[in-house]
Amino acid sequence: SYVKDSVVNFKNGLSQMNTDHNRCNAIRAKQRKYAKDNCFARPRGAKGIQTGGISYEEYDFLKKGMVDRNKLFAVTMVALCLPNYFVYYLWSFPDMLPSPFIQAKDPREISRERCHAVISTLLDLEKGARVAPFASKLNPFGKKSTERAMERLKQFGDMGCIDFEEDGAIGPSGGKIILKKLKNELYTKAAPSKQRIMLAGNLIPKQIMKGIGKAISADPLSKGSSPFGVGLVKHLESVTLADEFLVEQKIDIDSIDSLLLEQACSARLIGGPGWTDEERKEGLLNWLEQTEILPKEESQNGAGYFNGNLARAALMCYHAVDGTRDSRADSRLLRVMYQGQMKDTAL
C-alpha cells in the first residue's frame, strides 16, 4: 500500500543517511591523515573539503553530504516551527529533501527545461532591446538612460549572433573560440573590482543572469540546499572549487565513472542526453584548460589578472545554447528551428 511503501522508503532513507554520514567521517579522517603527513592542518567546514589525499568520487561525496545535511536541517526546522505548513513545503519544494529520499531527475527532463530557459532568455533579450520597460514610462527624466540600456542589450545580442556564427563554435571544444574573443575582458592589468568579480552592474545583462540561473536549477543536484534555486555567482563559487580540486590534485579525467562525469558536466551546462563519455571528457578537459590551466600560464607570462567568474559564465552561456542546438536535445520542436528547412533543388 501507499502508506506502507512511504514508511519503508522513509526508514531506508534514514538508514542510507546514517551510512553516508559514517562514510563522510571516514573520508574526512583520510584527509586529516594526509594533511598531517604533509605538515598542515585540515581546515574545518567547506574549505576542508579541498584538502587532497582523496579521489574525485570521495570529494564529490563530501560535497553532496554537506548539502544533504543542510537540507535535513532546513526540513527539520520547518517541521518543528511550522508543522501546519510542512506538507505544503514538501509539496512546493520536493527537491529539498536529502538525496536518499528523492529519485534522480530524468536527464531528458533536465535537457527540456534548459532548452526552454535558453529560448525564453533569447526572447527576453530581444524584447529588452526593442521595448522599453513599463516602469521607465513613470520617470520622465530617465528617457536617455533607458535608451542607453536598450542599446547595450542590442549590442550584446548582435555580439552573441556573431559569436555563434563563428566557424568552429560548436561542440565540446567550441567554447574556447568565445573566450578568445573576450580575452581583453577576461585579462586586466589591474585586479578586477569586486563588482566585476560578482558580475554586477552592466557586465552581464540581467536577462542572461536570470536565464543561466534557470538552466542551472533544472538539475536538482546543482540547486544546493536552497528551495529557491541557486544564484549564478554562488554556483560559480562551487564549480570553481571543484575545478581547482581537479587541477591541483591532478585528477585523471579518465578515472571518473560515467555517472559522476555526467553530473560534473551538468553542473557546467556541458552536453545533454545522448552524449558519450568521450564527448563529456572532451568538454570537461576543455573547460579546465580554459578556466584553470591556461589562465595560470597566461598570468605567469604577464597577461594580468584573470576574471574566472566571467569566463565560466561565458562558457555556460555557450554550452547552454550549444546543448539546445544539439540534435540529441529533448525539445524536438525547438531543434527544428535550428535545423532549418530542407528543400530539393530543381535539376
Side-chain angles (χ1 to χ4, degrees):
S1 65
Y2 173 77
V3 175
K4 180 181 178 181
D5 291 343
S6 298
V7 171
V8 171
N9 291 336
F10 181 74
K11 175 180 175 293
N12 292 339
L14 288 178
S15 176
Q16 185 62 46
M17 284 210 70
N18 183 61
T19 302
D20 292 348
H21 177 66
N22 291 334
R23 191 186 175 203
C24 285
N25 287 336
I27 296 173
R28 283 190 284 268
K30 188 175 177 181
Q31 286 186 316
R32 284 192 290 269
K33 183 179 183 302
Y34 172 83
K36 184 177 180 181
D37 293 341
N38 289 271
C39 303
F40 69 94
R42 179 189 185 273
R44 295 180 62 85
K47 292 183 178 180
I49 300 178
Q50 298 298 116
T51 306
I54 58 175
S55 65
Y56 178 72
E57 188 273 335
E58 292 172 319
Y59 171 83
D60 186 73
F61 192 86
L62 279 180
K63 291 188 70 174
K64 290 177 180 175
M66 183 173 63
V67 171
D68 281 344
R69 288 192 296 275
N70 291 336
K71 286 183 176 181
L72 180 62
F73 176 78
V75 169
T76 303
M77 287 296 99
V78 173
L80 293 177
C81 301
L82 300 169
N84 294 336
Y85 297 95
F86 181 65
V87 174
Y88 298 103
Y89 175 82
L90 297 182
W91 178 67
S92 302
F93 309 109
D95 296 335
M96 286 304 99
L97 286 172
S99 57
F101 297 94
I102 59 177
Q103 294 182 346
K105 196 170 183 179
D106 191 335
R108 293 174 298 178
E109 185 178 355
I110 295 175
S111 171
R112 186 164 59 252
E113 290 183 16
R114 286 179 171 171
C115 289
H116 294 175
V118 169
I119 296 301
S120 63
T121 301
L122 296 179
L123 291 174
D124 289 343
L125 270 177
E126 186 173 81
K127 182 179 179 181
R130 300 188 180 188
V131 180
F134 175 78
S136 65
K137 300 176 183 178
L138 304 178
N139 182 10
F141 306 103
K143 183 178 179 180
K144 292 294 183 181
S145 177
T146 301
E147 290 177 351
R148 287 194 297 269
M150 293 174 65
E151 181 61 26
R152 282 196 301 268
L153 280 180
K154 181 180 181 302
Q155 292 176 358
F156 194 91
D158 293 341
M159 182 178 66
C161 292
I162 294 173
D163 289 343
F164 283 101
E165 289 173 356
E166 286 280 346
D167 185 29
I170 188 172
S173 59
K176 64 175 108 177
I177 295 176
I178 307 298
L179 294 192
K180 185 177 180 180
K181 299 188 70 173
L182 293 175
K183 187 173 181 178
N184 292 334
E185 296 289 333
L186 299 177
Y187 293 93
T188 55
K189 294 300 181 182
S193 63
K194 183 177 180 180
Q195 185 182 45
R196 289 184 66 85
I197 294 175
M198 300 297 290
L199 307 181
N202 297 320
L203 189 60
I204 296 180
K206 61 181 180 180
Q207 292 87 346
I208 297 291
M209 299 285 282
K210 180 181 177 181
I212 300 179
K214 284 183 180 179
I216 293 170
S217 298
D219 187 351
L221 293 177
S222 299
K223 290 175 67 174
S225 55
S226 171
F228 305 106
V230 61
L232 173 59
V233 176
K234 187 68 176 177
H235 181 70
L236 289 177
E237 290 176 1
S238 176
V239 170
T240 300
L241 291 175
D243 292 345
E244 291 174 353
F245 181 87
L246 285 167
V247 173
E248 291 175 2
Q249 301 302 320
K250 300 179 181 179
I251 301 296
D252 182 9
I253 302 300
D254 292 330
S255 67
I256 302 176
D257 65 51
S258 298
L259 179 60
L260 272 181
L261 183 64
E262 180 181 350
Q263 292 173 357
C265 289
S266 178
R268 297 160 176 81
L269 305 187
I270 299 173
W275 274 47
T276 64
D277 285 355
E278 295 305 316
E279 286 177 301
R280 289 193 173 98
K281 288 175 184 177
E282 181 185 354
L284 184 55
L285 284 171
N286 275 285
W287 174 284
L288 294 175
E289 180 185 358
Q290 297 299 318
T291 59
E292 284 292 324
I293 300 173
L294 189 60
K296 289 181 180 179
E297 295 177 355
E298 292 284 347
S299 296
Q300 291 174 356
N301 294 332
Y305 294 89
F306 178 70
N307 191 340
N309 280 354
L310 180 58
R312 288 179 174 87
L315 283 177
M316 281 188 174
C317 289
Y318 164 77
H319 286 299
V321 175
D322 186 65
T324 305
R325 296 190 297 179
D326 192 279
S327 61
R328 293 160 290 185
D330 192 64
S331 289
R332 182 180 177 186
L333 291 175
L334 300 183
R335 290 205 312 267
V336 173
M337 293 194 306
Y338 292 111
Q339 291 172 350
Q341 195 175 36
M342 303 297 293
K343 295 183 178 180
D344 294 332
T345 57
L347 298 177

